[in-house]
Amino acid sequence: MGKFELMVLPYAPEALEPVISKETIGFHHGKHLAAYVNNLNALLEGSPLAGLPLEEIVLKAEGGMLNNAGQILNHELYFGQFSGNPKSAPSGPLAEAIVRDFGSFEAFKEEFQKKGATLFGSGWVWLSADKDGKLVITQETNAANPIQKGLKPLLTFDVWEHAYYLDYQNRRPDHLAALWQIVDWKVVESRYNMK
């Protein structure tokens, strides 16, 4: 396996406006994520972890290598779940699991936003499934990913300031509330259905 490459976005940089501006995509994807990719490639040179898939590096690495690998994995899941023309609500097995585990889709969204708004410092809020398909919401600090807890990540909101500061300044809750408009539940469902 060669070097890691910056993911290609599945939409145009302006496709998520006004929820996420073209400028934010430019910085967030084009600068922050690109830096994590470059840093990880440099750190992997001559490392016993070189050549491993990204998920394995996240599970085995420490320190700077873990931080950069974790951020690449997190951002690929994050950017990959949005669309300018999204499926606006889950259906099928995922929708049933959300109602089973949270009571309703609205109750799930409320809890997810609250966990994102109350995470101190930088990090991520995640919807994941455990090995039995039960859904859980977790707060992960910095570059952590639910796979480190044996969970399967399905949906994430990035609460690092660089994800929203240009568009929302310090209004993190407003940013979180707006993101639902661009989540493509078709993508999230496919992650859940891949057992």
Side-chain angles (χ1 to χ4, degrees):
M1 208 166 128
K3 287 183 175 288
F4 288 101
E5 291 187 8
L6 178 63
M7 75 175 290
V8 176
L9 292 174
Y11 39 77
E14 65 277 3
L16 307 181
E17 292 186 332
V19 177
I20 300 177
S21 69
K22 182 180 178 179
E23 289 73 23
T24 290
I25 291 286
F27 279 103
H28 196 180
H29 174 266
K31 301 255 191 303
H32 287 280
L33 181 52
Y36 298 132
V37 172
N38 292 336
N39 291 343
L40 181 62
N41 285 330
L43 290 165
L44 283 171
E45 274 181 37
S47 158
L49 300 183
L52 290 178
L54 189 58
E55 287 84 355
E56 276 192 58
I57 295 171
V58 170
L59 291 172
K60 293 177 176 172
E62 296 174 350
M65 192 180 293
L66 171 60
N67 288 338
N68 286 281
Q71 284 292 71
I72 295 168
L73 180 59
N74 294 354
H75 282 91
E76 287 183 353
L77 290 164
Y78 173 78
F79 286 122
Q81 73 194 2
F82 296 134
S83 169
N85 184 23
K87 178 181 180 188
S88 60
S91 59
L94 178 60
E96 291 163 21
I98 286 173
V99 171
R100 180 194 69 208
D101 296 331
F102 300 104
S104 71
F105 184 49
E106 287 309 314
F108 153 70
K109 290 201 304 188
E110 197 175 313
E111 185 181 338
F112 195 81
Q113 274 176 234
K114 191 167 156 194
K115 288 258 171 78
T118 57
L119 175 63
F120 186 76
S122 298
W124 303 78
V125 59
W126 293 88
L127 173 68
S128 301
D130 71 10
K131 60 184 181 357
D132 302 317
K134 181 177 180 350
L135 299 178
V136 290
I137 297 172
T138 62
Q139 296 169 315
E140 306 293 343
T141 55
N142 298 321
N145 184 285
I147 65 169
Q148 295 163 299
K149 297 174 173 170
L151 299 169
K152 181 186 180 79
L154 306 174
L155 171 76
T156 188
F157 286 0
D158 185 343
V159 294
W160 283 65
E161 284 190 343
H162 66 235
Y164 60 87
Y165 213 81
L166 287 179
D167 301 328
Y168 296 88
Q169 286 75 49
N170 63 337
R171 300 190 322 276
R172 184 195 283 185
D174 293 352
H175 168 67
L176 295 169
L179 286 175
W180 299 114
Q181 299 169 46
I182 56 172
V183 170
D184 191 348
W185 285 95
K186 193 167 73 237
V187 174
V188 185
E189 285 167 16
S190 71
R191 292 173 182 171
Y192 182 69
N193 296 336
M194 275 187 342
K195 295 286 189 247

